[in-house]
Amino acid sequence: MTPDAEFGYELLVCRYAELAWHPSDGSRPAIVARQLGTKERRWDTVVIEVDPAAFGERRAFGERTIDSDLLHVVRGAPAEWAWYRDALPHPGYPWRYVRQAVHRAADRDLIEKRRRNGRIEFRRTRPYPDWVERIVAVENKPDLDRSAADRLADQLEHDVETALADEAWLATETTGERVEPALLREIPVEAGILATDFSEGVHGNAGSVTWHPSDLSPADRECRDPEAKTLRLEIAERAYGKGWRSFHDTMRPDCRHFELRREGRALVPYCAAKEKVPTARECAGSCPSFSPEPPQWRTNGWPIDGGPGKGFEQVLARRRERERDRAERVE
């Protein structure tokens, strides 16, 4: 059954995207994340379509996000030893921050560094690959009425105008009609519309395309502004490191009421005390129903190392890795 909260619906859309992307053009290798974007616009669901071989090369850099400062260093690292100020373009901010990023990158084995003649020199361990094919933004609204369509129209118009994403979509629960009337009245024609039916949980056929999106990307990928290219890569890196199952980072899986429940082929958080899918605001230490795991659960009194809460985190982490593996294997 589709959760009442938009947060719960968002998780189901993310899982559907993993199973069935692209909904109108057939299978494409991709990773999925949620609540990412820029200072001006945050997207509910972000789909990063990847080149499988290049994605495998990206994974060789580790499982964590490479942030913007580290990207400047890793992308610009030379094949041969060089002073970092000679090898890198001016960052637009003081060089001391670049030097700090060089040290951080070396600590994570993203590059090699050495001190020679009083200078910090570095070189790459491997080239940073061009692994991102396309970025797709999805806005989620399970219950779409006229007022919601009005608000979403402005957000989607922004996505269309900036064209930072290659496609913009709206996902909503189906009304049972052939065409969702509220959508077509308000939503920009360039945005795709995905009607979902999660009444039997998430599966690959739980969505249908009501309106096909326009391709917002320039005809030549190289035509993008360099600043936009960098921003897109930063978003993709955050999506890679965060994924969409990171909801446990802002919730309390160590509460004895916290569960993971199956919705078809999706696992979503569930609060046994409230008998619902909670939001991050609700699932907090300040919750009146919060009941921490007994200490013996987190030591030797439980078969899962660290207690049930840690067990939930391990299950979600394994599923994230499985999806990364699948995106890398697709040809």
Side-chain angles (χ1 to χ4, degrees), residues 65 67-68 71 229-239:
T65 294
D67 62 45
S68 58
L71 276 175
K229 289 182 182 179
T230 299
L231 182 55
R232 281 165 53 87
L233 186 56
E234 291 172 3
I235 292 171
E237 276 289 341
R238 294 204 303 274

Side-chain angles (χ1 to χ4, degrees), residues 164-203:
L164 186 62
D166 298 283
E167 283 180 3
W169 287 79
L170 173 64
T172 188
E173 278 286 273
T174 180
T175 64
E177 299 183 26
R178 185 176 66 85
V179 176
E180 314 300 327
L183 300 180
L184 298 185
R185 285 197 301 267
E186 307 298 336
I187 305 304
V189 297
E190 294 89 349
I193 300 173
L194 179 69
T196 63
D197 180 2
F198 296 136
S199 58
E200 297 182 4
V202 179
H203 52 83

Side-chain angles (χ1 to χ4, degrees), residues 38 43 135 159 161-166 224 228-229 231-232 235:
T38 67
W43 297 317
I135 296 180
D159 295 339
E161 291 173 3
T162 58
L164 186 62
D166 298 283
R224 287 193 186 274
K229 289 182 182 179
L231 182 55
R232 281 165 53 87
I235 292 171

Side-chain angles (χ1 to χ4, degrees), residues 29 50-60 127-133 324-331:
V50 305
D51 173 86
F55 182 62
E57 295 173 10
R58 164 58 188 90
R59 294 189 70 188
Y128 183 86
D130 184 15
W131 61 279
V132 178
E133 290 286 317
R324 286 175 172 173
D325 291 342
R326 192 158 67 97
E328 183 179 343
R329 288 195 303 267
V330 173
E331 295 297 338

Side-chain angles (χ1 to χ4, degrees), residues 301-315:
W302 192 264
I304 301 174
D305 214 8
K310 288 297 182 183
F312 294 142
E313 294 177 18
Q314 291 166 12
V315 167

Side-chain angles (χ1 to χ4, degrees), residues 106-299:
D107 289 342
R108 285 178 50 179
D109 295 323
L110 302 177
I111 60 165
E112 294 181 312
K113 72 167 185 177
R114 70 181 184 185
R115 182 176 293 275
R116 187 179 181 87
N117 298 325
R119 290 182 168 184
I120 301 297
E121 296 182 343
F122 76 123
R123 67 180 179 184
R124 69 189 183 205
T125 56
R126 61 186 69 84
Y128 183 86
D130 184 15
W131 61 279
V132 178
E133 290 286 317
R134 301 170 77 248
I135 296 180
V136 180
V138 183
E139 192 70 22
N140 301 317
K141 193 69 177 177
D143 302 315
L144 188 67
D145 55 21
R146 179 62 180 266
S147 61
D150 287 340
R151 293 191 300 272
L152 289 171
D154 291 339
Q155 296 173 334
L156 291 169
E157 286 284 5
H158 178 272
D159 295 339
V160 170
E161 291 173 3
T162 58
L164 186 62
D166 298 283
E167 283 180 3
W169 287 79
L170 173 64
T172 188
E173 278 286 273
T174 180
T175 64
E177 299 183 26
R178 185 176 66 85
V179 176
E180 314 300 327
L183 300 180
L184 298 185
R185 285 197 301 267
E186 307 298 336
I187 305 304
V189 297
E190 294 89 349
I193 300 173
L194 179 69
T196 63
D197 180 2
F198 296 136
S199 58
E200 297 182 4
V202 179
H203 52 83
N205 297 318
S208 60
V209 178
T210 300
W211 190 265
H212 293 271
S214 299
D215 186 354
L216 305 177
S217 58
D220 182 355
R221 289 177 60 191
E222 300 304 318
C223 290
R224 287 193 186 274
D225 179 86
E227 186 174 337
K229 289 182 182 179
T230 299
L231 182 55
R232 281 165 53 87
L233 186 56
E234 291 172 3
I235 292 171
E237 276 289 341
R238 294 204 303 274
Y240 173 83
K242 182 181 179 184
W244 65 270
R245 295 176 176 85
S246 56
F247 53 79
H248 62 77
D249 291 338
T250 53
M251 303 179 89
R252 295 304 302 260
D254 59 332
C255 174
R256 67 172 71 207
H257 299 301
F258 185 94
E259 300 176 3
L260 288 178
R261 289 204 172 180
R262 184 174 294 279
E263 294 284 350
R265 296 185 63 184
L267 285 178
V268 298
Y270 184 82
C271 176
K274 296 184 174 69
E275 297 183 336
K276 59 179 288 190
V277 175
T279 64
R281 184 185 296 273
E282 293 171 321
C283 187
S286 58
C287 172
S289 300
F290 176 68
S291 179
E293 299 171 345
Q296 60 267 29
W297 285 15
R298 299 192 295 272
T299 55

